Amino acid sequence: MTLDAFETTGSSPGTGDPDPSAPGGPPPSAAIPDAASAGESLYTDIIHGGLQPDPATGAILTPIYQSTTFVQEAVGVHKGFTYSRAGNPTVAALERNLGQIEGTPPALCFATGMAAISTLFLGHLRAGDHVVVSDVVYGGTVRLLRQVLEGFGVEASFVDTSNADNVAAAIGPRTRLVFIESPANPTLKLTDVAAVAEITRQSGTLLVVDNTFLTSVLQDAFGLGADVVIYSTTKYIEGHNSTVGGALLARDEKLLERLRLVQATVGVAQSPFEAWLTLRGLKTLPMRLARHSANALRVAEWLEAHPGVTRVAYPWLDSFPQAELARRQQRSGGGMVTFEVEGGTAPALELMRSLRLCSLAENLGAVETLVTHSASMTHAALTAEEREALGIGDGLIRLSVGLEEPADIIADLQQALETALTGVEAAVATAHAGGAR
Ligand SMILES: Cc1ncc(COP(=O)(O)O)c(C=O)c1O
């Protein structure tokens, strides 16, 4: 897949962009590559890879084969499908498409992202095995390891993988797998994927990258050395808040065969309708990601300049502690921004309550702008102390910047910030007045 299209996506800070919230500011579409400059195969693979018109009818889109079972000519004589828990033509089309995009054999597609992660762990690990995991990862992955797999004798070490030396130090004789997320949910902390891949190669450990936040369009995880790539297709890949789903890709056919057996046995395959919606959403992934990134950069720059915002994390900002690494391994900043407001938790909660255009909801990577309170929503499984140590404070707001007009997103944030900060000032004044009485 040719990916040059994204190397220039998003402006760097200091390019002299006018106030993005001002009417008539430059349209974010300026950062979206046109098809001619995008590299043919990126768009072509995503739209056509592994797909062909329906042989029975000529339908240009793969039909939804909503069928439990497939009639066999004789015992053992069939057209490749027997029962939809083990395989379905619509799901298989999505699996071929994703494989072609990544340059791997067909993917395995699952009912959810967590089903993909669970199948990998169940299929590759045994009692007594050890895994090394990024200390900041999606809360469900932590829950799976601590509250489910620990009981089956799998031990996990959560380490700060942003320093590759920590990975090397944590790998022991029983370590079978290193699992990283970069950027991490929700702090956006990065891990140097190539540096960790060097370590896992030497130790013979499987490197798994959860590439949900960027997808291969913005971060070529296999090119950087991953052995397995995981997606929650619920996010950018489907992109329209319509489905939940997951995918797993690998080059090793033997590993894929083992995982396909576990998937069919446990019963966690994707459904044909969800697969069809995902196939449809996927066709516009590069265009959506370009605009998500351009919008997110505009919003992050605006937030950074706001006096009521104390901290903004976005990999394409110069102030981002790992900005150099971001530009080395990513093609743009992606659509996720996190920030904290003056006064901490109370104004953060008030801000989220006051939004009108942006929605307070648990998901990311879709066309609508969503805000999430990570401490109480996606990362509630961690203790308050653990969250604080990882930088997931109670005042942290995670913003999945959508595809709306960025000036409208900014105007909504502006009015919500004003409400939130005024509310805090009023509370402080009341407290002072009460104290004086
Ligand atoms: C990075 C990441 N990985 C995996 C998952 C799990 O995916 P799903 O919700 O589709 O099970 C999520 C969900 O938010 C996520 O953000």
Side-chain angles (χ1 to χ4, degrees):
M1 173 161 73
T2 308
L3 297 151
D4 305 347
F6 289 88
E7 279 161 9
T8 53
T9 298
S11 62
S12 62
T15 49
D17 274 359
D19 175 5
S21 63
S29 55
I32 299 175
D34 61 45
S37 67
E40 292 301 317
S41 62
L42 170 66
Y43 294 95
T44 309
D45 281 349
I46 283 178
I47 293 169
H48 295 286
L51 305 173
Q52 70 268 322
D54 177 44
T57 63
I60 193 157
L61 297 184
T62 304
I64 305 168
Y65 286 93
Q66 193 66 48
S67 186
T68 310
T69 194
F70 301 84
V71 175
Q72 307 187 18
E73 279 170 46
V75 174
V77 182
H78 53 73
K79 297 183 167 62
F81 299 97
T82 55
Y83 187 68
S84 277
R85 170 155 52 77
N88 173 282
T90 316
V91 179
L94 174 61
E95 294 178 336
R96 288 194 306 273
N97 188 226
L98 285 169
Q100 179 115 359
I101 294 164
E102 302 263 356
T104 66
L108 302 187
C109 285
F110 295 85
T112 66
M114 284 314 302
I117 298 171
S118 302
T119 299
L120 172 69
F121 287 176
L122 286 175
H124 188 65
L125 301 173
R126 298 218 171 90
D129 285 349
H130 170 252
V131 299
V132 176
V133 187
S134 298
D135 57 357
V136 186
V137 279
Y138 172 60
T141 305
V142 179
R143 244 188 330 263
L144 174 67
L145 285 160
R146 283 196 182 157
Q147 295 177 29
V148 181
L149 292 174
E150 203 180 284
F152 290 89
V154 171
E155 192 200 337
S157 299
F158 293 89
V159 305
D160 181 358
T161 55
S162 69
N163 179 349
D165 292 345
N166 294 337
V167 177
I171 290 177
R174 293 184 298 111
T175 310
R176 299 258 289 139
L177 185 155
V178 172
F179 186 102
I180 61 176
E181 218 179 270
S182 184
N185 184 356
T187 61
L188 307 183
K189 185 163 72 171
L190 306 186
T191 292
D192 185 333
V193 182
V196 172
E198 190 55 43
I199 292 163
T200 54
R201 231 187 334 268
Q202 280 170 18
S203 63
T205 318
L206 200 73
L207 175 59
V208 184
V209 177
D210 183 335
N211 207 16
T212 295
F213 269 33
L214 295 175
T215 81
S216 63
V217 173
L218 297 186
Q219 176 168 269
D220 180 10
F222 281 114
L224 292 166
D227 299 303
V228 174
V229 172
I230 293 275
Y231 291 114
S232 167
T233 58
T234 314
K235 319 299 186 212
Y236 289 100
I237 288 186
E238 189 273 323
H240 294 75
N241 274 326
S242 311
T243 64
V244 284
L248 181 154
L249 295 112
R251 291 204 178 106
D252 181 344
E253 299 269 12
K254 246 180 108 184
L255 176 67
L256 285 171
E257 195 184 323
R258 161 86 184 146
L259 297 178
R260 201 174 276 286
L261 172 112
V262 174
Q263 178 193 43
T265 305
V266 176
V268 284
Q270 181 57 290
S271 81
F273 182 46
E274 310 271 286
W276 186 87
L277 286 169
T278 306
L279 267 171
R280 194 173 67 155
L282 189 50
K283 289 183 191 294
T284 54
L285 180 66
M287 291 72 108
R288 284 188 283 109
L289 277 171
R291 185 168 167 102
H292 278 297
S293 297
N295 279 5
L297 179 63
R298 292 267 289 270
V299 169
E301 286 175 337
W302 181 84
L303 284 168
E304 196 169 47
H306 194 290
V309 174
T310 51
R311 207 177 67 83
V312 182
Y314 183 65
W316 238 237
L317 290 177
D318 272 353
S319 60
F320 189 71
Q322 298 166 292
E324 183 277 324
L325 173 60
R327 283 170 189 275
R328 189 150 37 91
Q329 73 180 12
Q330 300 181 195
R331 297 192 174 87
S332 74
M336 302 301 297
V337 177
T338 55
F339 66 102
E340 290 179 49
V341 291
E342 200 172 52
T345 310
L349 297 179
E350 181 59 23
L351 182 149
M352 286 184 264
R353 209 180 59 77
S354 307
L355 289 165
R356 293 175 194 146
L357 175 70
C358 310
S359 301
L360 175 61
E362 250 177 79
N363 196 19
L364 63 96
V367 295
E368 293 91 0
T369 296
L370 301 182
V371 289
T372 303
H373 185 233
S374 301
S376 62
M377 294 163 92
T378 53
H379 287 73
L382 305 184
T383 65
E385 293 73 37
E386 284 172 329
R387 284 196 300 269
E388 203 58 53
L390 298 174
I392 312 171
D394 285 350
L396 184 97
I397 299 171
R398 192 189 77 184
L399 191 60
S400 170
V401 180
L403 304 185
E404 302 93 340
E405 189 59 43
D408 292 334
I409 301 169
I410 287 168
D412 193 31
L413 287 168
Q414 182 154 26
Q415 66 78 23
L417 263 167
E418 267 165 30
T419 307
L421 296 172
T422 313
V424 169
E425 276 167 25
V428 170
T430 310
H432 282 167
R437 242 183 270 136

